[in-house]
Amino acid sequence: MDVDENQVLLLKKKLKIIKQYKGQGTQLISLYLPPDADRSSVMKQLTDEISQSANIKSQQTRKNVQGALRRIMNYLKQIDFKLPETGLVLFSGEVSPVPSKSNIILMEVVPPKRLTTKLYWCDSAFHTAPLDEMITTEDVFGLIVIDKREATIGVLRGKSQEILGHETSGVPGKFRAGGQSAARFERLREKAAEDFFKRVGDKVNSIFVNMPKLKGIIVGGPGNSKEFFLEHADLDHRIKDMIIGKVDTGYTDETGIKEIINRSSELLKEVGFVKERNLINKFITQVAKDQLATYGYTEVMTALKLGKAETILVSEDLDWLVIKYQCPSCKKNIFDIVKDASLMKETSFEKKCPDCDVDAEFIEELDVYEYLTEVAGNMGTQVVLVSTETQEGKTFFETFGGLGALLRYR
Ligand SMILES: [Zn+2]
């Protein structure tokens, strides 16, 4: 099953936060629910855990475990046990380092792949291993080796390679048969090669255009046949945008595919960052011209709500949290942004609905990226997470605060 890339990035970010939490005792609960989990047996297990926890010696730990279990049960009731298609993972526990300040958090994760087994842990740290496994992604690269007589199309998935197509042209060799004029022979040869490049191009289009997780395509071959191919092949513009490099190879069969892989390891490593760099550079250029970009929380939120934001960029290092409340009377969601995670301890989790003036219920803690994705949901705005592994990414975080938007108009 293919996993949505943004979903994986979001999950990576969320897991980073979840892993930071440490319980003072064995009091952090991780619950993995497959989509077909049975409501009554899950609720019964949680109730049983609450009664069993009465045996916990430390009064503080007992209180915390029971508090966490109740938070989970309340949450499951709140969503009426409607589990997402892939299941649901809940992490709950008392994470405040100050015993007098209670802060039982609840974090929810929708797994990118379907859960098959129900799992329950109560430990001093949250259990994320089953989710960690789901997010080890393998980048996919398209590989083409070509000259006038032969072409091989392959794909590299993580570390394994596969041949997807092999074509030969029938273009005659360099030595003409007697009787033909040299010029005419050369023209025929060129024409046959062009036809061959077109044929291979069509095949390349059909193989790669909708390939999930494709990060880039590398073209290899001897001499300048690569350039001729790119020139004559009628490649789909989406495929053209994917060409990340050209590599000289001696062969145009499976050996040539291996040559590409060996010669482009640096190129392959860089590629993940190419898109990111381009995006940040576009953002910086627009900011410098004071045109189609803006940054800062208020500016970005305003642009988003007015439908002006085309793409929102969020730095991986931006560790703001958003507390989500819901009004029990009008069901409106109310959000509080916490820009300094250490202030979470101070938060009372109390909020009034501005319309109904009743106490809103605390629902969950969201990552700021997740929150923006939720708000951007119906605005057709793309929310992109950018790393700080490139110089551009560092600049974006340090100079622009890690939150910016490319605008459709000003
Ligand atoms: Zn209300």
Side-chain angles (χ1 to χ4, degrees):
M1 188 167 82
D2 285 310
V3 171
D4 180 280
E5 215 170 306
N6 260 336
Q7 207 190 349
V8 168
L9 280 173
L10 168 62
L11 183 52
K12 269 188 187 163
K13 194 161 185 263
K14 224 171 171 180
L15 287 177
K16 216 163 102 184
I17 299 171
I18 290 169
K19 282 176 198 182
Q20 280 166 5
Y21 290 121
K22 291 281 169 285
Q24 300 292 57
T26 304
Q27 59 184 41
L28 300 187
I29 291 164
S30 315
L31 180 65
Y32 285 68
L33 296 173
D36 52 359
D38 174 59
R39 178 176 190 153
S40 58
S41 73
V42 171
M43 289 315 219
K44 184 176 178 311
Q45 183 185 2
L46 293 169
T47 316
D48 289 350
E49 292 292 342
I50 291 181
S51 33
Q52 274 175 37
S53 63
N55 303 322
I56 297 173
K57 284 201 183 72
S58 151
Q59 189 201 336
Q60 194 60 45
T61 307
R62 183 166 68 234
K63 204 182 105 210
N64 292 342
V65 169
Q66 295 181 340
L69 285 163
R70 288 205 182 90
R71 284 286 320 261
I72 291 180
M73 291 184 77
N74 284 340
Y75 183 79
L76 289 173
K77 276 179 207 154
Q78 234 160 27
I79 62 165
D80 198 21
F81 213 81
K82 287 197 174 70
L83 304 177
E85 270 173 45
T86 51
L88 184 67
V89 185
L90 295 172
F91 298 100
S92 181
E94 169 60 62
V95 294
S96 167
V98 192
S100 56
K101 279 265 180 203
S102 173
N103 178 20
I104 295 188
I105 57 151
L106 178 81
M107 293 189 99
E108 164 213 37
V109 171
V110 177
K113 291 180 192 168
R114 196 176 188 276
L115 289 175
T116 48
T117 343
K118 187 175 77 173
L119 298 162
Y120 172 90
W121 279 286
C122 181
D123 212 331
S124 57
F126 290 122
H127 274 252
T128 57
L131 289 169
D132 292 336
E133 234 164 72
M134 289 183 187
I135 56 172
T136 47
T137 46
E138 287 181 337
D139 289 339
V140 177
F141 292 98
L143 310 168
I144 305 162
V145 274
I146 188 162
D147 64 9
K148 285 176 184 171
R149 317 194 53 177
E150 181 185 40
T152 307
I153 306 167
V155 69
L156 180 71
R157 287 195 179 84
K159 289 193 163 46
S160 62
Q161 69 199 61
E162 190 190 336
I163 302 300
L164 301 176
H166 182 252
E167 302 282 319
T168 49
S169 71
V171 172
K174 285 192 177 164
F175 302 101
R176 66 194 155 103
Q180 273 175 316
S181 87
R184 182 179 147 72
F185 176 71
E186 207 38 54
R187 268 201 313 278
L188 283 173
R189 248 189 118 230
E190 283 309 315
K191 177 74 177 67
E194 275 173 38
D195 289 346
F196 176 58
F197 288 161
K198 282 206 171 65
R199 176 150 60 88
V200 175
D202 292 344
K203 185 129 193 185
V204 165
N205 285 338
S206 69
I207 288 178
F208 291 124
V209 92
N210 288 316
M211 185 173 278
K213 290 199 270 179
L214 187 69
K215 278 277 165 69
I217 297 171
I218 301 175
V219 186
N224 50 16
S225 56
K226 302 176 280 297
E227 283 75 16
F228 283 127
F229 168 68
L230 292 173
E231 208 173 297
H232 293 292
D234 278 338
L235 290 176
D236 187 292
H237 67 96
R238 287 165 290 181
I239 298 289
K240 277 187 181 155
D241 291 346
M242 282 276 186
I243 309 270
I244 54 166
K246 288 176 274 183
V247 179
D248 283 320
T249 66
Y251 296 87
T252 48
D253 56 5
E254 196 168 346
T255 314
I257 294 285
K258 289 202 174 82
E259 279 182 277
I260 291 195
I261 296 171
N262 292 337
R263 285 180 194 179
S264 40
S265 62
E266 275 309 305
L267 192 61
L268 296 176
K269 215 171 14 183
E270 274 294 295
V271 136
F273 298 125
V274 171
K275 251 164 80 184
E276 189 169 296
R277 279 208 182 101
N278 291 343
L279 187 64
I280 298 173
N281 283 332
K282 188 173 166 194
F283 167 81
I284 294 175
T285 310
Q286 291 298 331
V287 170
K289 290 196 288 188
D290 197 18
Q291 286 178 355
L292 297 175
T294 190
Y295 59 98
Y297 178 71
T298 317
E299 290 77 4
V300 169
M301 286 314 283
T302 307
L304 176 59
K305 284 175 181 163
L306 291 172
K308 289 206 292 190
E310 185 175 56
T311 309
I312 293 180
L313 288 71
V314 188
S315 172
E316 240 176 28
D317 280 9
L318 190 71
D319 57 359
W320 298 353
L321 289 171
V322 179
I323 311 174
K324 180 175 174 181
Y325 300 90
Q326 194 180 56
C327 170
S329 137
C330 71
K331 298 292 171 203
K332 195 175 116 167
N333 291 330
I334 305 152
F335 298 95
D336 249 1
I337 311 277
V338 183
K339 292 187 182 174
D340 182 348
S342 68
L343 290 177
M344 274 312 272
K345 297 198 279 281
E346 313 292 325
T347 190
S348 58
F349 294 98
E350 278 163 20
K351 192 86 191 167
K352 279 215 186 309
C353 172
D355 301 330
C356 317
D357 201 39
V358 295
D359 285 332
E361 282 164 12
F362 166 63
I363 304 289
E364 60 178 329
E365 262 176 55
L366 299 170
D367 181 88
V368 66
Y369 171 78
E370 204 175 3
Y371 165 65
L372 289 166
T373 309
E374 190 168 323
V375 180
N378 299 320
M379 314 295 292
T381 305
Q382 201 193 0
V383 187
V384 181
L385 206 51
V386 295
S387 79
T388 43
E389 285 170 58
T390 62
Q391 191 49 52
E392 288 83 353
K394 283 195 189 93
T395 306
F396 178 67
F397 182 66
E398 284 157 13
T399 312
F400 300 97
L403 183 59
L406 284 165
L407 306 177
R408 295 189 174 104
Y409 56 91
R410 270 207 80 88

